[in-house]
Amino acid sequence: AQKVTQAQTEISVVEKEDVTLDCVYETRDTTYYLFWYKQPPSGELVFLIRRNSFDEQNEISGRYSWNFQKSTSSFNFTITASQVVDSAVYFCALREGGGGNKLTFGTGTQLKVEL
Amino acid sequence: DGGITQSPKYLFRKEGQNVTLSCEQNLNHDAMYWYRQDPGQGLRLIYYSQIVNDFQKGDIAEGYSVSREKKESFPLTVTSAQKNPTAFYLCASSMTGTLAKNIQYFGAGTRLSVL
């Protein structure tokens, strides 16, 4: 069965610090997709990134970067020079290659960025 | 504006009462989903529908029912059989077809409480 683990329940940083959110996954499929979503206090989940299992290339988007390592089954998310607006709950999710487009979510990491 | 609209934002249920949560999308997506979020937990899938007039149970379907009579709409009924309905409910939609298109986009959620 597939599983996503986000061991960090809550992280607090001071603005401009860099922060990394960890995500470890388990799956027996060779084809799968990994996602990160942001949930601000308003509640809506905002899609950030999708990565497929065949593409281990790291990605950078502005202050955000993602490190995908199949050898350790991890898909970590780094925010550089954090800002107060980055305060939110961040979820990592896994979709296996079979039908149904079902996502398995981790329990989320609450990030608090303070001035 | 294209998007997913959930209503109401807040809902209160009395003992023994059925309540219906609305989810409408104008993204022309074929697939729609309902998730439940409890404090400190990830999202858990209740029901999903890949096409009109068809839907499948997710991981926690007991005590819930859905219908999919129109492509744009996927209402969720929380029945009296659901003994612990207090939670935050999120609706999502996605395209179907190739795996590359199956990003799920979310509404702003409905917070359900029991009186």
Side-chain angles (χ1 to χ4, degrees):
Chain A
Q2 57 188 20
K3 182 179 179 182
V4 176
T5 300
Q6 295 180 256
Q8 304 153 307
T9 304
E10 186 172 319
I11 301 175
S12 290
V13 299
V14 176
E15 201 174 38
K16 299 182 182 175
E17 284 186 16
D18 298 347
V19 58
T20 296
L21 310 182
D22 298 332
C23 173
V24 175
Y25 62 92
E26 296 175 27
T27 179
R28 294 180 180 177
D29 274 14
T30 55
T31 301
Y32 53 89
Y33 287 80
L34 293 161
F35 301 79
W36 275 96
Y37 283 89
K38 174 182 179 179
Q39 186 177 41
S42 61
E44 178 177 351
L45 262 72
V46 177
F47 166 75
L48 295 177
I49 191 172
R50 177 193 60 214
R51 173 64 75 221
N52 73 52
S53 54
F54 299 116
D55 182 4
E56 285 194 74
Q57 192 172 21
N58 292 331
E59 180 157 339
I60 298 174
S61 176
R63 296 184 298 106
Y64 295 172
S65 62
W66 290 269
N67 185 328
F68 176 32
Q69 292 193 341
K70 289 178 73 171
S71 61
T72 55
S73 296
S74 65
F75 185 44
N76 296 338
F77 172 32
T78 297
I79 302 175
T80 303
S82 59
Q83 299 176 3
V84 172
V85 293
D86 296 327
S87 297
V89 181
Y90 291 86
F91 289 97
C92 181
L94 167 69
R95 183 211 189 282
E96 291 184 330
N101 199 27
K102 294 173 63 176
L103 289 177
T104 296
F105 284 85
T107 52
T109 297
Q110 170 83 59
L111 174 64
K112 295 184 178 180
V113 183
E114 300 168 334
L115 292 171
Chain B
D1 286 353
I4 302 169
T5 302
Q6 291 188 240
S7 62
K9 191 174 178 74
Y10 299 95
L11 186 59
F12 298 91
R13 193 191 89 165
K14 296 179 181 179
E15 292 287 340
Q17 185 182 41
N18 293 352
V19 292
T20 297
L21 285 61
S22 170
C23 179
E24 303 276 334
Q25 56 97 0
N26 59 6
L27 300 170
N28 200 32
H29 286 168
D30 288 312
M32 297 185 73
Y33 314 80
W34 274 106
Y35 291 89
R36 170 179 171 142
Q37 183 180 14
D38 294 284
Q41 297 190 31
L43 280 68
R44 292 182 290 168
L45 183 64
I46 304 172
Y47 270 98
Y48 64 102
S49 167
Q50 301 276 69
I51 195 170
V52 175
N53 292 322
D54 188 43
F55 48 83
Q56 287 78 41
K57 293 182 179 180
D59 300 319
I60 54 167
E62 186 175 348
Y64 300 96
S65 66
V66 293
S67 63
R68 186 84 188 280
E69 297 177 0
K70 298 187 301 181
K71 185 176 183 178
E72 302 79 19
S73 178
F74 191 39
L76 173 73
T77 296
V78 184
T79 74
S80 56
Q82 173 51 246
K83 298 307 179 186
N84 183 24
T86 297
F88 188 53
Y89 291 86
L90 285 156
C91 177
S93 70
S94 74
M95 296 175 70
T96 56
T98 62
L99 295 177
K101 294 183 178 180
N102 292 345
I103 297 172
Q104 293 185 25
Y105 295 94
F106 286 79
T110 292
R111 194 166 299 279
L112 175 62
S113 302
V114 176
L115 290 176

